Amino acid sequence: MTVLVALALAQAAAQTDPVLAVDLPAGSVATGLDRLSREVGLALVGRPGDLAGRRAPHLRGRLRLSEALDRWCRPAGLRCHLLAGGIVVRAAGPMPRPVVRPRPRSVPIEPVVGPDVIVTGRRGTLVQGELERSYSASHIDSTELSRRSSQSLAELLTGLPGLWVDNSAGVAANSIRVRGIPLDGYQAIAVQEDGLPVQHDTLPWTDIDQFVRPDLMIASADYVRGGPSAIFASNAPGGVLNLRTRAAGDHHGGEVRTTLTDFGLFRWEGYATGPIAPGWRVIVGGTLTRDPTVRRIAETLGGGQVRARVDHDLRGGGRLTLALHGMDDDTLNISSFPMRYRAGRFAILPGFDPRRGSFFGPELTRLRFAALGERPLGRNNRNRLVTPSLSLVRDVAGGVLTARAHYRWSRTERYALSSSGAAIPAERLLADALPRLTAAFPTIARVALAHASDGSAFAPIAGNDRAIALNPVAADTRLCEAMVDLSYAHGLEAGGHHDLTLGLYAVGYRWDFRRAVARVLLEAREQGRRLDMVALDADGRVLGRATDDGLLSTGSTYEALRGHQRMIALYAADEWQVAERWRLDWGLRHERAAPSAWVERPATVDGGDPMTLADDRIAIGSGQWDRRQRHLAQTAATLALHWRASPALGLFTRATRAMRLPDPGVFRIGSGDPARALTIEQGEFGLIWQGAGLGLEATAFASRFPDIALPDLSLDPATGAVRIGEHAASARTLGLEIGARASPLPGLSIRGTVTWQDPRLQSYRVASLIDGVPVTTDLSGRMPRRVPRVMASLSASAALPRTGITLDGDVSAMGRRFADDANSLALPCFALVGLGASWTVTPALTLGLRVTNLFDQVAIMQGDALGGEIRAGDGDGVATVRAQQGRVAALSVAWRL
């Protein structure tokens, strides 16, 4: 019996104080504690003021958890105790004065986690471990960021549970869908850097991801799905993504990385850091890129960004951070293109490779718009940004005061070739144009297609005799924005422990927007040439044209808007520990906004050239402006119950009423009520389990959208003008997200995610004219466009012993979904495979090789962006879609200073 008792006690001790293989680089105490707590699945409890600015030397070896905590915390002046319920951290004395010594070149610089929170999605005075979360979240650490080496925000988000991510457009202006919410772009999530939004609103042609370029200056990222995101951020009914920039180091060092790809991309990124005065540290880094793009275009794009950050530890605890972010680059963004479509199957249309092709050829590098003049259409998107920011975290009256603020100036010259229907056989195109040309030129005998550049006849290629009409777009946007976020967190005892947070968020911005749209006729092939439709008499003489240098219109649409937004929000949240294992989390956020705008009336003029029909109706600005203004108020609320069921298991349930207030862009819309605020009712039930080398997180969610406005972009059949409308509807979503990780062997790591969801549109009726007769179609019960029912990802990495080589691979799969709300065009499921390897040649030098879309598959993501989102058509055997890029091989060389 004595032996059995001793064995039981030894087993219990081993479970509460396990032996770990510890390898913590010198750096932030908070970061090391976060890693240890995540590995063993224990809560981490401590005051952020005690952790702020404290650092520890390199710790490595096979140690019991209690010994590792003691050896990690003691040099930093902390006491770290291992208790049954978690790890408790307390200050043992004043912060040790840093001793500046030359830093070994072999030790990489470790990012510092901010002193206010360890996990995004909450505020408070205590640091929480993973098992204490009452919401769903994903963490991307520096190792995973380095492995992915993402060049766009969409690439960084790929593979996270609950997110449908489409990065097929290029580097910027991509689209995502969150938990089935029928909102495109980044309208459903807030994107932050160090806790402050990159941009308050997603505005038309001013997308948030146009101003985010992941590089070595991003240390980690947290993505919170649903839950408290609607309390701590505006415009976040679906979640919050927080990108943490790398903090300045106590020792001199840095890193540089160069990346080359098989399509000719060159990318340099790096940073340097170190102390500049007692208590002051600085880090400077950035990126330079030369990008011919994986898509075949006539231009070479590129540019760069720079970041600078100064950190200062305050006496008595706290930190002051001053930062500057600047950007100036050109990035690729493409629209949809033609593919063959028969009996539900897609095939490549001869002359256009959907994995590498584009319409941006030599004849579309520059284009003259009637309202805006000549523009470099082939440069795609030029984004310029300057953002100075400030962050202050300070202990005040036993609590923590956090102040963040930034001012932002940006300008985008965004060019696009928007799709608007299927490619049409040349003979049918000419037959359709004949009545209009006959009315203008009565002696016409026939219509012919000719290349606009030299007058030569259009020549079909084998299997492709089609032409396509596209909409070249030039959009100028400027944004000047100032925002501030103040919060105060304080702990108190009243019927249990409360971690109470009060906050104020305010923003004001001016958004200047001008957009001109033309219409061009091209060959339906890669880098297609412009085509003229020419009216000929019986002798073959030219009587006139339906086009002008290939343009069906030099200005089909024009709009200009000077928008203003003023918004203030008050929020409060409390984490109430009602019992040892039970906690109530609640939050409220009240927002008041006053969007306003001056909207210019368009005017239609005749260009006066009798030889062409292309200038008969040209849209330009009239110089007359109308005033629009609204005042709105809305409240979001959330309530969660968390139960720490065991040392390895946490359970939660949560109910949330989220919201999204409209931005000044709604004044562009000609129908509907621009004062409408979006509300979302959400319910969640989740579990988080962590064992030795294992982890599982699962969340079941349900959402209801009582009143939502679904956008409808279409073309006026008479003028070709872009019409902006919307349809009122409601919707609901049911779903399940699962994320798991395992480390079955030393050096082997496996991660997987699965999302199942069933989104449905309700009360959705669309009116249209068929043969001049109004017809109403009920689309209730259909799935929202683009949203798949099933998504999954699996990744694995293995470090080969005593070689310095790490191999990794990943598979991402997407189920069947639809290009349109009517569910008439089904998009096939697919799975993409990627492989990678890295070799640590020396402690300072690492080589990397990565191949994406290994089998060069055609992975179709969405349909026609203009006129095909409500009801798509197969275009007489050809559909308009957009696919992921093809196989890309990238080689990288990283050097730590």
Side-chain angles (χ1 to χ4, degrees):
M1 178 64 72
T2 304
V3 174
L4 293 176
V5 171
L7 289 174
L9 291 174
Q11 184 179 7
Q15 290 177 347
T16 57
D17 192 10
V19 176
L20 306 174
V22 179
D23 188 3
L24 299 178
S28 164
V29 169
T31 300
L33 290 173
D34 184 45
R35 285 191 176 186
L36 289 173
S37 66
R38 287 174 186 268
E39 186 171 351
V40 298
L42 292 176
L44 180 63
V45 180
R47 291 171 55 85
D50 292 341
L51 295 172
R54 297 184 188 257
R55 306 177 70 78
H58 184 206
L59 178 61
R60 184 175 184 176
R62 191 167 180 81
L63 307 169
R64 285 215 174 266
L65 177 58
S66 58
E67 183 182 358
L69 290 171
D70 182 67
R71 292 174 58 179
W72 180 249
C73 296
R74 189 183 298 274
L78 295 173
R79 290 195 183 98
C80 297
H81 301 286
L82 177 60
L83 303 178
I87 301 169
V88 178
V89 183
R90 292 289 184 266
M95 186 184 305
R97 297 177 65 85
V99 179
V100 179
R101 298 188 179 95
R103 188 174 179 274
R105 295 168 64 88
S106 62
V107 180
I109 293 172
E110 181 65 15
V112 177
V113 176
D116 53 338
V117 290
I118 294 296
V119 179
T120 299
R122 60 176 293 271
R123 307 283 175 90
T125 60
L126 299 180
V127 177
Q128 283 186 359
E130 287 288 284
L131 292 175
E132 296 300 316
R133 280 195 282 111
S134 61
Y135 50 90
S136 302
S138 298
H139 177 73
I140 307 175
D141 59 21
S142 57
T143 301
E144 180 66 9
L145 287 175
S146 179
R147 185 183 76 87
R148 295 188 186 190
S149 190
S150 304
Q151 297 188 37
S152 69
L153 180 57
E155 286 183 12
L156 187 147
L157 291 171
T158 300
L160 294 180
L163 275 178
W164 173 85
V165 180
D166 177 14
N167 61 354
S168 63
V171 175
N174 284 292
S175 188
I176 66 173
R177 286 281 176 102
V178 184
R179 287 185 169 181
I181 298 176
L183 294 175
D184 285 326
Y186 291 83
Q187 297 183 70
I189 72 170
V191 180
Q192 300 179 341
E193 287 187 358
D194 297 320
L196 202 63
V198 172
Q199 179 177 311
H200 175 75
D201 274 318
T202 286
L203 296 160
W205 298 85
T206 317
D207 294 309
I208 292 174
D209 70 337
Q210 291 175 225
F211 307 99
V212 177
R213 303 287 180 273
D215 62 10
L216 283 174
M217 285 291 287
I218 301 297
S220 64
D222 292 322
Y223 174 53
V224 174
R225 302 182 293 278
S229 58
I231 304 303
F232 296 111
S234 296
N235 307 318
V240 174
L241 173 71
N242 186 26
L243 306 174
R244 300 181 186 277
T245 61
R246 194 178 296 270
D250 287 327
H251 306 280
H252 293 287
E255 185 177 354
V256 294
R257 181 169 64 197
T258 300
T259 302
L260 303 171
T261 70
D262 57 352
F263 63 82
L265 177 137
F266 170 84
R267 189 171 191 241
W268 178 94
E269 53 191 311
Y271 68 89
T273 184
I276 54 176
W280 292 87
R281 304 179 302 278
V282 66
I283 184 169
V284 178
T287 306
L288 291 174
T289 303
R290 180 188 181 274
D291 186 10
T293 80
V294 67
R295 301 281 180 181
R296 287 184 274 266
I297 67 174
E299 296 278 357
T300 296
L301 308 179
Q305 69 176 351
V306 63
R307 292 180 185 271
R309 170 171 168 168
V310 177
D311 291 327
H312 175 54
D313 295 325
L314 303 175
R315 290 186 177 182
R319 173 182 295 175
L320 172 67
T321 297
L322 304 174
L324 178 68
H325 181 201
M327 177 192 298
D328 188 345
D329 67 359
D330 297 299
T331 59
L332 174 69
N333 180 259
I334 65 164
S335 190
S336 301
F337 35 71
M339 288 190 69
R340 288 199 175 279
Y341 181 75
R342 295 282 187 187
R345 295 182 177 271
F346 286 88
I348 294 176
L349 180 70
F352 203 112
D353 183 349
R355 298 157 297 193
R356 296 174 182 84
S358 83
F359 286 114
F360 284 103
E363 295 193 8
L364 285 175
T365 57
R366 304 193 69 83
L367 193 72
R368 182 172 182 81
F369 294 85
L372 300 179
E374 186 171 302
R375 292 302 183 93
L377 187 70
R379 299 300 299 176
N380 267 217
N381 300 326
R382 185 181 185 190
N383 304 295
R384 283 170 281 180
L385 168 77
V386 177
T387 302
S389 62
L390 173 148
S391 174
L392 173 67
V393 180
R394 184 80 189 193
D395 290 347
V396 176
V400 178
L401 175 67
T402 303
R404 298 186 180 96
H406 85 199
Y407 175 80
R408 173 255 182 82
W409 174 91
S410 69
R411 179 177 180 180
T412 296
E413 297 168 1
R414 183 169 165 184
Y415 306 109
L417 281 173
S418 177
S419 58
S420 58
I424 303 172
E427 298 241 346
R428 198 178 95 195
L429 178 71
L430 298 177
D432 291 344
L434 183 60
R436 187 172 173 224
L437 285 169
T438 301
F441 309 105
T443 59
I444 187 174
R446 64 188 180 91
V447 185
L449 279 178
H451 293 117
S453 58
D454 56 15
S456 60
F458 166 72
I461 60 176
N464 182 359
D465 64 343
R466 297 175 181 251
I468 190 168
L470 300 175
N471 296 276
V473 180
D476 293 343
T477 66
R478 300 190 186 197
L479 182 63
C480 294
E481 178 181 68
M483 66 174 65
V484 62
D485 186 288
L486 299 173
S487 66
Y488 181 70
H490 195 286
L492 57 90
E493 301 294 331
H497 181 78
H498 295 261
D499 209 357
L500 184 65
T501 299
L502 301 175
L504 167 69
Y505 171 80
V507 64
Y509 65 76
R510 172 173 172 165
W511 174 61
D512 291 345
F513 170 75
R514 289 196 307 164
R515 183 177 75 134
V517 183
R519 194 154 169 80
V520 66
L521 186 64
L522 296 177
E523 299 170 318
R525 59 191 74 161
E526 290 182 26
Q527 299 190 357
R529 299 175 65 184
R530 296 195 212 181
L531 296 175
D532 273 328
M533 280 194 294
V534 184
L536 304 175
D537 65 11
D539 296 325
R541 291 190 296 266
V542 175
L543 299 174
R545 302 179 305 279
T547 55
D548 181 13
D549 194 23
L551 291 170
L552 292 161
S553 173
T554 58
S556 65
T557 307
Y558 175 80
E559 55 181 334
L561 183 148
R562 297 172 185 165
H564 298 263
Q565 176 72 288
R566 297 184 304 278
M567 197 278 285
I568 189 168
L570 298 174
Y571 59 89
D574 183 23
E575 296 171 351
W576 178 14
Q577 195 74 40
V578 295
E580 181 181 359
R581 294 189 176 188
W582 295 87
R583 193 181 74 246
L584 277 174
D585 297 343
W586 62 265
L588 293 171
R589 184 182 184 92
H590 180 72
E591 295 187 356
R592 305 187 70 86
S596 62
W598 286 96
V599 183
E600 186 177 12
R601 300 178 189 173
T604 302
V605 299
D606 190 326
D609 186 350
M611 292 295 293
T612 179
L613 306 182
D615 70 343
D616 288 359
R617 295 177 58 87
I618 300 176
I620 60 173
S622 67
Q624 299 179 346
W625 298 76
D626 297 320
R627 174 72 167 172
R628 309 282 178 82
Q629 188 171 10
R630 292 290 188 275
H631 292 274
L632 306 107
Q634 194 67 265
T635 300
T638 189
L639 176 64
L641 175 64
H642 181 272
W643 176 36
R644 185 64 181 269
S646 73
L649 178 64
L651 300 171
F652 68 87
T653 183
R654 179 180 289 270
T656 303
R657 183 183 187 271
M659 63 177 173
R660 192 186 195 285
L661 297 184
D663 59 75
V666 298
F667 296 119
R668 302 169 61 226
I669 298 174
S671 61
D673 179 13
R676 179 183 304 170
L678 173 67
T679 59
I680 302 177
E681 299 164 358
Q682 301 171 320
E684 298 170 83
F685 175 77
L687 67 86
I688 306 170
W689 176 81
Q690 291 187 349
L694 299 171
L696 174 67
E697 180 174 350
T699 304
F701 60 88
S703 303
R704 191 172 77 91
F705 317 92
D707 188 11
I708 190 169
L710 299 176
D712 179 13
L713 301 179
S714 60
L715 287 180
D716 187 317
T719 65
V722 178
R723 298 183 299 195
I724 304 171
E726 63 181 21
H727 300 285
S730 59
R732 62 90 175 148
T733 298
L734 301 174
L736 175 66
E737 303 166 348
I738 300 176
R741 61 171 179 81
S743 300
L745 298 171
L748 176 62
S749 176
I750 302 173
R751 299 169 300 278
T753 67
V754 176
T755 301
W756 173 86
Q757 54 191 355
D758 183 36
R760 296 291 171 177
L761 298 168
Q762 299 173 329
S763 304
Y764 185 22
R765 296 171 179 84
V766 178
S768 57
L769 288 176
I770 300 179
D771 297 329
V773 179
V775 176
T776 300
T777 304
D778 190 351
L779 300 181
S780 301
R782 313 293 174 91
M783 291 184 64
R785 56 185 177 262
R786 305 174 184 168
V787 180
R789 181 168 279 131
V790 178
M791 299 179 290
S793 68
L794 179 67
S795 62
S797 62
L800 304 184
R802 297 183 296 277
T803 64
I805 296 176
T806 300
L807 305 178
D808 68 85
D810 55 77
V811 180
S812 60
M814 189 170 294
R816 184 169 173 264
R817 62 225 172 278
F818 297 95
D820 56 346
D821 290 339
N823 296 174
S824 61
L825 181 61
L827 304 180
C829 55
F830 63 83
L832 299 180
V833 178
L835 292 178
S838 66
W839 178 28
T840 304
V841 184
T842 71
L845 176 63
T846 301
L847 304 180
L849 178 65
R850 183 154 188 83
V851 180
T852 57
N853 194 358
L854 179 66
F855 299 108
D856 208 25
Q857 293 197 61
V858 177
I860 300 173
M861 297 302 296
Q862 59 176 279
D864 193 354
L866 182 60
E869 293 187 326
I870 303 299
R871 182 180 295 280
D874 62 9
D876 190 23
V878 172
T880 303
V881 295
R882 193 171 75 196
Q884 295 277 26
Q885 66 186 28
R887 179 173 51 241
V888 172
L891 173 67
S892 65
V893 180
W895 181 267
R896 294 187 180 93
L897 306 177

